[in-house]
Amino acid sequence: DLATRQGERERVYDASSDQSSRENLVLLSGFRRALAGGELCLHHQPKWHLGRERVTGTEALLRWQHPEHGLLTPVRFIPQLENSHLIHELTPWVVRAALRDLADLQARSRDWQVAMNLSARNLNDDGLLGDMERALGETGTSPEQLEVEVTESAVLADPDRASRVLGRLRDWGVGVAIDDFGAGQTSLGYLRRLPASTLKIDRSLICQLAPGSSDHRIVESVAGLGRRLGMEVVAEGVEDRATLEAVRRAGCDAVQGYGVCPPRPLETVCANWAPRVERRAGRAIRSPGEG
Ligand code: C2E
Ligand code: MG
Ligand code: MG
Ligand code: MG
């Protein structure tokens, strides 16, 4: 009966949390080896500009090619890293890797921007600005081609400091994107305070957006707001043609999502999105109802 069932549930719960904390420990203990041994890499997801009908940049997304667990996405290890000092070793790695990839793109004559994600702990890392300055110098890349993506929660962790750091980056010419906008309890005051150049509308508002729905009116309003504040508005998580048409009509400037291209190694993205392919894709993406 109830007591027994509750007891069972607790036992089950304990067992699984035990199991997962053991897994976390195993993962964390391998992280230094991963950093040193080339197990970390960045995949890139293109951002498709609707008006210009071309890729204008990519977002760098961290991956861990784990020897036993396979390819891990950030949800599997970033939260654990954030609870440990190891997160401070990740920040310079991501900065350098993203800028090396940007330099690689420039060497291929691709004028794409590269966006990198910063979590709260990255943003509050004392070394961040110095790491960026050094990596920009070493790779010879221009700050205008770099963008950082931050979420509201990363900013709220220490708003004054975040505005200061992001303001410095903006002064250098680095773009600042507000990521996952509309997820969680977003406050409009924070939009005004942040020196942001891009507004990315969260996947939860975008996925399977139907014309005429209340979600559509929300996205339309948010897009209008972002544009009036002088930001480029990006819809995240566009998975199909109908959604792409809906966000276009809602006034978004650019899209990202599996429907355009999933995150892939930079080599693959470059091979799949040669300028000739882009022109073809542009025509395909423009004409609705094609599949
Ligand atoms: P994010 O910055 O909002 O990135 C978008 C996430 O949505 C990515 O997940 C991407 O693979 C996924 N996605 C893209 N298009 C679609 C779609 O059409 N449908 C669906 N269902 N998903 C889509 P990913 O790569 O697992 O990254 C998750 C989060 O981890 C990122 O969210 C970002 O907050 C964080 N992250 C990624 N790379 C880094 C990094 O280098 N450093 C830090 N601190 N955080 C990172
Ligand atoms: Mg992002
Ligand atoms: Mg996002
Ligand atoms: Mg997200």
Side-chain angles (χ1 to χ4, degrees), residues 38-261:
E39 292 173 26
L40 297 185
C41 67
L42 295 176
H43 280 187
H44 288 260
Q45 183 175 36
K47 182 168 85 180
W48 177 268
H49 196 282
L50 291 166
R52 289 187 235 160
E53 295 183 7
R54 65 179 198 89
V55 173
T56 52
T58 72
E59 176 177 3
L61 294 159
L62 186 62
R63 298 289 181 264
W64 180 356
Q65 185 63 61
H66 195 280
E68 291 153 53
H69 305 292
L71 192 67
L72 303 180
T73 59
V75 281
R76 285 291 304 282
F77 59 93
I78 290 209
Q80 293 88 305
L81 285 181
E82 296 223 307
N83 290 325
S84 94
H85 60 280
L86 287 170
I87 190 70
H88 298 300
E89 301 186 27
L90 180 65
T91 313
W93 188 92
V94 172
V95 168
R96 297 192 58 200
L99 282 165
R100 271 202 304 267
D101 284 350
L102 177 56
D104 185 7
L105 285 172
Q106 287 177 352
R108 298 164 190 255
S109 307
R110 297 290 181 99
D111 62 341
W112 295 348
Q113 265 200 338
V114 169
M116 54 174 281
N117 290 283
L118 293 176
S119 55
R121 299 286 302 276
N122 299 141
L123 198 56
N124 291 333
D125 208 317
D126 285 329
L128 177 70
L129 289 174
D131 290 337
M132 284 216 174
E133 200 170 18
R134 210 163 23 252
L136 282 163
E138 279 170 12
T139 55
T141 48
S142 59
E144 289 79 13
Q145 296 295 101
L146 178 68
E147 187 170 66
V148 296
E149 299 194 357
V150 295
T151 60
E152 181 178 29
S153 58
V155 170
L156 288 182
D158 189 345
D160 290 337
R161 187 189 170 118
S163 315
R164 213 164 50 238
V165 170
L166 296 173
R168 276 290 289 287
L169 291 174
R170 289 295 292 138
D171 290 342
W172 295 354
V174 175
V176 171
I178 297 176
D179 206 351
D180 301 348
F181 187 78
Q185 61 292 60
T186 303
S187 79
L188 293 177
Y190 127 101
L191 260 192
R192 193 191 55 207
R193 270 207 318 271
L194 271 191
S197 44
T198 302
L199 186 64
K200 301 188 73 175
I201 306 178
D202 191 60
R203 192 173 72 220
S204 58
L205 282 172
I206 300 295
C207 64
Q208 295 174 348
L209 194 67
S213 64
S214 57
D215 269 3
H216 193 269
R217 287 191 289 274
I218 291 173
V219 171
E220 205 167 41
S221 306
V222 170
L225 179 66
R227 292 179 81 156
R228 273 193 287 279
L229 290 171
M231 295 187 256
E232 173 176 277
V233 179
V234 182
E236 295 189 295
V238 171
E239 296 189 353
D240 52 47
R241 178 68 60 80
T243 306
L244 188 133
E245 288 310 320
V247 302
R248 191 205 299 277
R249 251 181 288 164
C252 295
D253 299 299
V255 293
Q256 267 184 310
Y258 296 164
V260 178
C261 183

